[in-house]
């Protein structure tokens, strides 16, 4: 198609503002999807995305639209995630576009991630088309949201389109605005081939399938091409686009978006952000993407050691599909061989684990998440430590610097006191507050990354009854009093339970860990001592009593000295057994203790996803009591059905 009739655009928004629903409506309106094939969340191909109602991967799709001016246009849409942990997906998608649809919920208004995504689009000089979605809701406040777009995002209000993706309102206006406002791509079919690789995935039959945006030239099957980063020459076997399923095309020309299947069999041969050019007449390299650095690290180990090689292969395939995910091999005395993996956030970690379990059928266990610390030794050397095992002895440490983030919390006015208390509890510093409108404020604070890993987002949702939102960005390092917390089982350290915590919170963390272990480690024939220690100082202790055998059962009658002799003999035997024996912690104990934080995070996401009870003033204790009543009496709807009927 003529390059002047091509439009490349993306959809950006805060989580749960209606991006995917609008994508479904655009597909239906342009005739890309027939009525019989229509279903909700059409572009969310993974079961995990449908279950959680969130977009995890960016999804490209090609549509054809007959505009009111009588011309036919090719619209290349990329639906992007909304959560902060998948911002790298958004940045890569925006690099393949010239415009972006900015979706804002008419009831919730501008949220934290909305502002972050707008900044990403402006940084790439994209044409932004603001859309106020869900105007059909009874509590929608279009005038106030319009004012927020003008005041916070500095976008003129007259450019805003009011729509309802669910009811199909404003869809024609959105399509016409894309044709009129989004500029056509720059490039020429006559120039040398130059294409940007912005995503990829592994297909068991085709090998590595790469998503590309052709900048210059033309791409056909049978063409010999070269990847400039790796220097590898490949032959293009198949060229196509998505609608939303992949379909084969004769060629992709300048300005178009699609996929290629070439003779790439291993994930190591491809790099996201690489430039594909002709092998005989190469073109200059495109800028590509900025390297992303993981912020959260965790060890992933197979529960069955025989699955190690399979886990290694599948991690490479996941890395191909998720460029923000990194891993390297490591070993643990308690857990065996595994991998140290880096993620952009806690939700990113959780999604990777679920994909390993579901897509590749591997039973895994993850260690407690940690961040990268800068350790300055006494000889002036700086070390990056992401694993508590590699933290030097305190005698050789001059100082420890922990990573900081600048968090932007948007909440209603009446909850500003609770938010300030939460920031203080998390060792954060409130820098300033900004009034967004007569109903909401934005708090800018500096908080240690380690403090927001587990329950910070969940606490924000709890305190604000679902109306709060948060976005954050990396903000350097700061000196802190961090220590290594070790767990000792009969004076023997267990490295799998070690973690780096702030000194003021080490005692509570140690007590909780020791208490949890006491529940899961089975009794032995001698006493087991569980201790949490910082260096040589014990800060918490639990004791598992010995399993007592009644050795005096056979003694009846007679002198008491007979029983005393048997008891003394048993006592000596247990003492000798304890001196030569060792406690074997079962694998199930590791699974239960290390998964306790995972279950806690999942509960937080459950609360965030179904935030309407907070908005209705219902406490979660009441919800769980109601759940128990429903299951006992079997006369009411279960909690899951109640949630499915929840108001939007």
């Amino acid at each position: 198609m003529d390059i002047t009739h091509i439009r490349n655009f993306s959809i950006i928004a805060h989580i749960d503002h209606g991006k995917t629903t609008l994508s479904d409506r655009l597909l239906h309106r342009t005739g890309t999807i027939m009525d019989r094939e229509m279903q909700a969340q059409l572009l969310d191909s993974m079961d995990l995305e449908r279950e959680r109602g969130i977009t995890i991967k960016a999804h490209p799709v090609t549509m054809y639209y007959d505009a009111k001016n009588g011309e036919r246009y090719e619209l290349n849409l990329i639906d992007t995630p909304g959560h902060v942990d998948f911002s790298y997906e958004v940045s890569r998608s925006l690099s393949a576009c010239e415009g972006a649809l900015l979706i804002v919920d008419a009831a919730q208004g501008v949220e934290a991630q909305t502002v972050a995504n707008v900044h990403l689009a402006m940084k790439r000089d994209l044409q932004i088309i603001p859309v106020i979605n869900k105007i059909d809701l009874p509590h929608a406040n279009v005038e106030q949201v319009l004012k927020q777009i003008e005041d916070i995002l500095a976008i003129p209000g007259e450019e805003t389109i009011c729509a309802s993706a669910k009811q199909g309102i404003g869809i024609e206006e959105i399509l016409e605005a894309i044709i009129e406002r989004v500029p056509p791509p720059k490039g020429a079919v006559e120039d040398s081939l130059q294409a940007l690789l912005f995503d990829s995935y592994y297909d068991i039959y085709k090998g590595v399938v790469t998503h590309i945006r052709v900048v210059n030239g033309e791409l056909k099957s049978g063409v010999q091409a070269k990847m400039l980063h790796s220097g590898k020459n490949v032959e293009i076997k198949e060229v196509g686009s998505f609608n939303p399923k992949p379909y084969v095309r004769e060629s992709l020309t300048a300005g178009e978006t699609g996929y290629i299947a070439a003779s790439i069999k291993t994930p190591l041969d491809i790099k996201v952000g690489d430039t594909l050019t002709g092998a005989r007449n190469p073109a200059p390299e495109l800028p590509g993407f900025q390297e992303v650095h993981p912020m959260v690290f965790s060890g992933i180990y197979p529960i069955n050691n025989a699955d190690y090689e399979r886990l290694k292969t599948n991690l490479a395939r996941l890395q191909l599909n998720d460029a923000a995910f990194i891993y390297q091999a490591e070993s643990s005395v308690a857990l065996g061989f595994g991998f140290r993996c880096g993620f952009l956030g806690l939700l990113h970690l959780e999604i990777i684990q679920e994909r390993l379990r579901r897509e590749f059928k591997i039973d895994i266990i993850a260690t407690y998440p940690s961040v990268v610390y800068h350790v300055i030794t006494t000889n002036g050397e700086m070390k990056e430590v992401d694993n508590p095992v590699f933290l030097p002895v305190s005698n050789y440490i001059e100082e420890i610097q922990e990573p900081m983030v600048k968090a932007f919390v948007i909440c209603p006015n009446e909850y500003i006191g609770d938010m300030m208390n939460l920031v203080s509890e998390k060792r954060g510093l409130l820098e300033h507050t900004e009034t967004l409108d007569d109903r909401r404020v934005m708090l800018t604070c500096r908080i240690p990354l380690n403090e927001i890993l587990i329950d910070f987002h969940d606490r924000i949702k709890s305190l604000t009854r679902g109306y709060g939102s948060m976005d954050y960005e990396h903000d350097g390092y700061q000196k802190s009093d961090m220590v290594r917390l070790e767990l000792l089982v009969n004076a023997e350290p267990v490295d799998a339970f070690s973690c780096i915590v702030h000194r003021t919170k080490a005692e509570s963390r140690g007590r909780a860990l020791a208490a949890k272990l006491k529940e899961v480690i089975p009794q032995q024939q001698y006493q087991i001592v569980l201790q949490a220690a910082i260096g040589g100082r014990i800060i918490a202790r639990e004791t598992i009593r010995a399993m007592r055998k009644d050795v005096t059962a056979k003694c009846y009658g007679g002198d008491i000295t007979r029983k005393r002799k048997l008891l003394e003999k048993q006592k000596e035997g247990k003492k000798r057994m304890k001196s030569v024996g060792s406690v074997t912690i079962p694998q199930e104990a590791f699974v239960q203790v290390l998964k306790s934080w995972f279950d806690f995070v999942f509960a937080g996401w459950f609360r965030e996803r179904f935030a309407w009870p907070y908005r209705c003033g219902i406490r979660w204790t009441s919800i769980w009591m109601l759940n128990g009543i429903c299951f006992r009496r079997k006369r009411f709807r279960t909690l899951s059905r109640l949630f499915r009927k929840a108001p939007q």
Side-chain angles (χ1 to χ4, degrees):
M1 180 171 287
D2 186 7
I3 195 170
T4 59
H5 287 65
I6 298 176
R7 300 292 185 269
N8 298 312
F9 69 100
S10 181
I11 299 182
I12 56 176
H14 187 81
I15 186 172
D16 202 26
H17 276 207
K19 297 181 304 299
T20 306
T21 307
L22 180 59
S23 302
D24 294 344
R25 190 62 62 181
L26 292 176
L27 289 172
H28 182 263
R29 172 60 188 83
T30 56
T32 308
I33 296 297
M34 298 294 105
D35 291 339
R36 63 177 182 274
E37 300 172 341
M38 197 62 194
Q39 59 177 338
Q41 294 177 262
L42 195 64
L43 294 183
D44 290 344
S45 56
M46 288 189 287
D47 293 338
L48 203 56
E49 293 177 311
R50 293 180 175 275
E51 290 175 10
R52 302 214 172 188
I54 60 174
T55 302
I56 297 171
K57 285 293 298 175
H59 300 277
V61 62
T62 299
M63 305 176 291
Y64 293 94
Y65 173 64
D66 295 323
K68 292 181 179 179
N69 58 11
E71 302 289 338
R72 186 173 178 82
Y73 291 85
E74 178 182 322
L75 307 181
N76 294 309
L77 160 69
I78 303 180
D79 183 25
T80 59
H83 197 275
V84 61
D85 283 9
F86 304 107
S87 58
Y88 191 56
E89 289 281 330
V90 180
S91 65
R92 289 190 287 112
S93 302
L94 294 180
S95 64
C97 302
E98 285 79 32
L101 288 179
L102 173 65
I103 311 301
V104 182
D105 194 313
Q108 301 180 29
V110 175
E111 300 279 7
Q113 193 62 21
T114 310
V115 180
N117 287 335
V118 169
H119 290 165
L120 283 176
M122 289 181 173
K123 193 180 296 183
R124 287 167 174 78
D125 296 326
L126 300 186
Q127 177 63 42
I128 299 176
I129 303 175
V131 177
I132 300 179
N133 193 24
K134 304 183 182 180
I135 61 172
D136 58 315
L137 294 180
H139 52 287
N141 193 340
V142 178
E143 292 77 11
Q144 187 173 14
V145 175
L146 195 61
K147 187 175 184 300
Q148 292 176 5
I149 292 176
E150 292 181 338
D151 296 343
I152 303 174
L153 306 179
I155 299 176
E158 58 270 12
E159 297 181 3
T160 305
I161 301 173
C162 296
S164 171
K166 187 174 183 180
Q167 300 295 332
I169 303 172
I171 303 302
E172 289 284 348
E173 290 79 358
I174 293 175
L175 290 171
E176 291 296 328
I178 293 172
I179 300 299
E180 296 173 4
R181 303 187 199 175
V182 177
K186 299 178 182 179
V189 180
E190 299 79 13
D191 293 347
S192 300
L193 176 62
Q194 193 180 36
L196 176 67
L197 312 182
F198 66 90
D199 204 355
S200 57
Y201 67 93
Y202 186 83
D203 186 272
I204 191 172
Y205 300 107
K206 301 177 183 179
V208 178
V209 178
T210 308
H211 296 185
I212 65 166
R213 157 69 192 275
V214 181
V215 178
N216 288 302
E218 186 179 13
L219 196 56
K220 296 181 178 180
S221 60
V223 171
Q224 294 293 328
K226 179 180 181 180
M227 293 183 290
L228 294 182
H229 181 270
S230 61
K232 184 180 178 62
N233 291 335
V234 296
E235 181 183 353
I236 307 301
K237 301 291 186 181
E238 183 178 309
V239 174
S241 293
F242 299 90
N243 68 345
K245 296 181 180 180
Y247 68 95
V248 180
R249 295 177 58 175
E250 292 185 2
S251 65
L252 291 175
T253 59
E256 294 184 325
T257 302
Y259 75 89
I260 60 167
S263 53
I264 308 173
K265 299 301 181 185
T266 61
L268 298 178
D269 293 337
I270 195 72
K271 177 179 174 59
V272 172
D274 198 359
T275 301
L276 186 73
T277 183
R280 298 180 180 178
N281 188 17
E285 187 173 4
L286 295 170
F289 309 115
Q290 181 182 357
E291 288 289 340
V292 62
H293 299 286
M295 303 178 70
V296 178
F297 287 83
S298 176
I300 292 182
Y301 296 83
I303 293 181
N304 184 1
N305 291 331
D307 292 335
Y308 175 78
E309 289 298 330
R310 193 157 66 95
L311 175 61
K312 181 179 180 181
T313 302
N314 293 325
L315 283 178
R317 295 179 179 178
L318 268 183
Q319 188 182 41
L320 177 71
N321 191 231
D322 189 348
F325 167 66
I326 67 169
Y327 68 95
Q328 63 180 10
E330 73 168 3
S331 62
S332 167
V333 176
L335 302 176
F337 293 99
F339 297 91
R340 192 72 180 173
C341 303
F343 312 89
L344 292 183
L346 203 64
L347 177 63
H348 191 201
L349 183 155
E350 183 184 346
I351 293 299
I352 290 293
Q353 291 185 50
E354 280 297 307
R355 293 186 66 183
L356 284 171
R357 293 188 179 101
R358 296 188 182 200
E359 297 178 20
F360 304 111
K361 311 298 182 184
I362 301 178
D363 293 327
I364 58 172
I365 178 174
T367 61
Y368 193 84
S370 65
V371 298
V372 180
Y373 296 93
H374 286 176
V375 180
I376 311 298
T377 58
T378 52
N379 60 4
E381 183 182 358
M382 195 274 287
K383 296 183 178 179
E384 291 188 350
V385 177
D386 58 50
N387 193 336
V389 176
F390 302 132
L391 187 68
V393 183
S394 58
N395 298 340
Y396 299 98
I397 297 177
E398 182 69 26
E399 67 177 47
I400 299 178
Q401 299 175 354
E402 63 176 338
M404 307 293 292
V405 296
K406 182 171 287 187
F408 307 95
V409 181
I410 296 179
C411 67
N413 297 333
E414 59 266 26
Y415 301 113
I416 186 171
D418 295 332
M419 289 296 100
M420 293 173 67
N421 292 334
L422 177 61
V423 171
S424 177
E425 178 188 335
K426 295 297 184 180
R427 300 189 293 117
L429 177 64
L430 182 64
E431 294 184 345
H432 65 272
T433 62
E434 180 182 352
T435 302
L436 301 180
D437 50 40
D438 57 351
R439 198 169 54 92
R440 298 191 306 168
V441 295
M442 182 169 70
L443 310 180
T444 302
C445 46
R446 197 166 186 260
I447 306 178
L449 176 61
N450 188 43
E451 293 291 336
I452 68 172
L453 280 185
I454 299 297
D455 63 338
F456 188 70
H457 196 274
D458 173 49
R459 294 280 300 278
I460 289 176
K461 289 293 181 182
S462 300
L463 293 174
T464 62
R465 299 194 177 189
Y467 284 107
S469 65
M470 182 197 71
D471 182 37
Y472 64 87
E473 59 185 26
H474 190 59
D475 193 34
Y477 281 77
Q478 176 179 291
K479 178 182 177 181
S480 299
D481 188 12
M482 310 300 295
V483 294
R484 177 171 60 190
L485 177 65
E486 292 184 311
L487 192 82
L488 310 178
V489 179
N490 277 353
E492 293 291 332
V494 182
D495 60 344
F497 297 131
S498 299
C499 59
I500 301 176
V501 297
H502 195 266
R503 191 179 296 273
T504 59
K505 300 192 175 184
E507 183 175 346
S508 58
R509 169 69 183 160
R511 289 182 183 276
L513 190 58
K516 182 66 178 179
L517 261 183
K518 183 181 178 180
E519 299 176 1
V520 298
I521 293 182
Q523 282 185 312
Q524 305 290 327
Q525 293 188 11
Y526 52 88
Q527 179 178 282
I528 300 176
V529 178
L530 306 176
Q531 296 170 314
I534 300 175
R537 186 169 68 91
I538 305 300
I539 60 173
R541 170 179 171 140
E542 295 284 349
T543 303
I544 301 177
R545 293 191 302 173
M547 186 186 300
R548 186 175 183 272
K549 180 181 179 182
D550 191 2
V551 294
T552 61
K554 60 183 179 181
C555 295
Y556 50 93
D559 192 76
I560 190 62
T561 57
R562 295 180 59 196
K563 293 185 178 181
R564 287 178 178 172
K565 287 179 181 178
L566 288 174
L567 291 174
E568 288 296 326
K569 184 177 180 182
Q570 183 189 45
K571 184 178 179 180
E572 290 296 325
K574 288 190 175 184
K575 184 177 180 180
R576 185 169 58 253
M577 183 186 299
K578 183 177 180 179
S579 64
V580 299
S582 60
V583 180
T584 302
I585 303 178
Q587 190 75 24
E588 293 76 12
F590 287 103
V591 173
Q592 292 184 39
V593 173
L594 294 177
K595 277 187 177 179
S596 60
W597 69 267
F598 178 82
D599 296 334
F600 182 74
V601 173
F602 179 77
W605 257 98
F606 194 78
R607 186 180 293 116
E608 177 199 355
R609 179 62 187 142
F610 303 107
W612 64 269
Y614 290 99
R615 301 172 184 172
C616 301
I618 303 174
R619 295 292 182 183
W620 277 96
T621 52
S622 303
I623 291 291
W624 297 127
M625 290 173 60
L626 176 62
N627 187 26
I629 294 172
C630 291
F631 277 104
R632 282 197 298 269
R633 296 187 178 181
K634 297 182 180 179
R635 291 189 301 177
F636 301 96
R637 292 178 297 184
T638 62
L639 185 62
S640 59
R641 291 180 183 174
L642 186 62
F643 279 157
R644 278 201 293 268
K645 301 293 183 181
Q648 297 297 320

